[in-house]
Amino acid sequence: MGRPTTSRIGERGGFTLLEILLALAIIGLMATVLVGGSARLLEKKPQTPEQVFWAAVLLARKSALQHQVDVRLSFDDQTKTFVIDTDGGLKKLPLTASNIDVQIVFLAGQAASSNLLPGTDVGTTLPAVTFYGDGTCTPFRLDIKTPFGSNQVAIDPWTCAKMLPSVNANGA
């Protein structure tokens, strides 16, 4: 058997523990920078109007519960901004630039079908909805109109959350 390979000065070849630890530390640092940078890129993606609405609902309801006051949520069609009116002032959540041609309307109560035009909803437009200090809110629906169509979201007045679709007696 031969002797292990040595360098010119008589030391064994290979990496020292310090070199291995330094390489691992550099790899860890690079991974941290890449993960952090990609997370920021994902955060900056445009939000849909419904996502901005739910952020506004969360802020309005939280403020109403914390301060035990009524908080009003409205939508400014000129600036395309959800406006939360609290005792502490106004908070604004604007839609992104890609959502400029969106129309947001608050409708009163539950969906009701018109007998004149089947399949169409008849509802009173509300200028704003109120979130109360007990955690409830005005019964309302949100109507989001885009060039691609309309989407209505019914809000449960007890939980201020999206209402689940009703199920008929057949389970369909």
Side-chain angles (χ1 to χ4, degrees):
M1 287 223 203
R3 292 181 47 176
T5 317
T6 58
S7 65
R8 284 191 223 168
I9 56 174
E11 296 177 359
R12 289 183 171 235
F15 296 106
T16 65
L17 180 60
L18 181 62
E19 291 170 330
I20 292 172
L21 290 176
L22 184 61
L24 289 174
I26 291 172
I27 289 171
L29 183 63
M30 288 174 49
T32 303
V33 169
L34 289 174
V35 168
S38 62
R40 279 192 295 278
L41 285 174
L42 292 175
E43 286 175 4
K44 293 183 181 183
K45 73 175 190 174
Q47 290 186 320
T48 65
E50 193 169 339
Q51 289 171 326
V52 178
F53 164 72
W54 286 115
V57 166
L58 181 67
L59 280 173
R61 187 168 188 248
K62 182 178 178 181
S63 181
L65 286 168
Q66 284 179 340
H67 304 292
Q68 293 296 304
V69 295
D70 293 353
V71 175
R72 292 175 45 96
L73 173 64
S74 60
F75 183 75
D76 183 355
D77 200 38
Q78 300 297 322
T79 61
K80 302 295 184 188
T81 303
F82 285 100
V83 180
I84 303 167
D85 188 1
T86 65
D87 284 343
L90 298 178
K91 295 179 185 175
K92 298 182 178 184
L93 281 86
L95 297 180
T96 59
S98 62
N99 295 320
I100 294 301
D101 52 354
V102 172
Q103 291 181 331
I104 305 283
V105 178
F106 296 119
L107 299 172
Q110 302 301 319
S113 294
S114 168
N115 290 333
L116 299 174
L117 298 171
T120 61
D121 286 331
V122 176
T124 306
T125 302
L126 300 173
V129 294
T130 304
F131 292 85
Y132 303 105
D134 63 358
T136 60
C137 64
T138 305
F140 73 100
R141 291 173 290 137
L142 177 72
D143 189 22
I144 303 172
K145 295 178 184 170
T146 66
F148 308 109
S150 180
N151 179 28
Q152 281 197 8
V153 180
I155 310 302
D156 179 24
W158 297 104
T159 63
C160 305
K162 185 176 184 176
M163 289 185 75
L164 297 174
S166 60
V167 178
N168 64 20
N170 297 334

